[in-house]
Amino acid sequence: FDIDRNRGGIDAFGNVEIGGFEFNGETINNIIFSGEKKGDSLSCNVSIDDESLNLTSDADIILNGDKSQWNVNADIRRFIPSRFGLLPKYQGYAFSGAAKTNLTGNNADNITGEVSLKSLSFEKHGDRGVHIDGLSLTSHNNDSLKCYTL
């Protein structure tokens, strides 16, 4: 870790490797995080290589009130929710897919932009699953109206 304090703010950079930790009764192994905060900007990368959760993600965020920007990408190769106490009815089913966000704002009332999901799968080996090529949610303002498109 490297932390600098300047002009009333804190800038920092760090790399962390976590061999494993327990969440809701499931141990998640092989986590690597690197991140940097400089002024109002944050950027980070996360990699998890575990039997129950395997993903990589990167984020670039600018914190600036209602003009805050959130750009996040995630490649989810495997997420088995039942192992974390989620969706217990679907034991052994796994999610996979890619997610991308490009949003501006800092709360549900003023946020605009797009969240897109691509190549989504929810399946269990040997069973018929659900596959979706893509899904996108867009939000924008039109005069005083908030518009959403799915």
Side-chain angles (χ1 to χ4, degrees):
F1 281 96
D2 184 20
I3 299 175
D4 291 322
R5 182 173 165 80
N6 66 19
R7 289 184 263 139
I10 296 177
D11 292 340
F13 174 82
N15 291 310
V16 178
E17 291 187 31
I18 301 170
F21 77 93
E22 190 172 312
F23 175 78
N24 207 14
E26 179 73 13
T27 301
I28 303 171
N29 297 301
N30 306 317
I31 302 161
I32 299 172
F33 172 86
S34 65
E36 179 177 20
K37 180 197 177 289
K38 194 168 195 174
D40 293 336
S41 297
L42 304 166
S43 62
C44 67
N45 295 290
V46 177
S47 173
I48 301 174
D49 185 7
D50 183 78
E51 181 181 299
S52 301
L53 179 59
N54 186 300
L55 66 82
T56 55
S57 180
D58 62 84
D60 290 306
I61 301 165
I62 299 172
L63 299 174
N64 185 20
D66 62 355
K67 293 179 179 58
S68 294
Q69 297 176 13
W70 309 84
N71 297 300
V72 180
N73 299 299
D75 180 17
I76 305 162
R77 290 178 292 282
R78 181 178 51 257
F79 170 54
I80 304 173
S82 63
R83 292 193 179 169
F84 300 97
L86 305 169
L87 303 176
K89 179 179 174 183
Y90 297 97
Q91 286 289 331
Y93 278 79
F95 279 109
S96 63
K100 181 177 183 176
T101 65
N102 184 355
L103 302 171
T104 300
N106 65 346
N107 64 52
D109 294 327
N110 68 19
I111 203 145
T112 59
E114 180 177 24
V115 175
S116 62
L117 306 170
K118 299 204 187 273
S119 301
L120 294 176
S121 291
F122 184 61
E123 60 189 349
K124 180 178 182 179
H125 185 70
D127 284 353
R128 186 173 174 180
V130 175
H131 303 278
I132 300 172
D133 289 333
L135 186 64
S136 179
L137 176 63
T138 304
S139 166
H140 69 276
N141 294 320
N142 187 359
D143 296 323
S144 61
L145 293 176
K146 181 70 139 194
C147 302
Y148 296 96
T149 304
L150 181 62

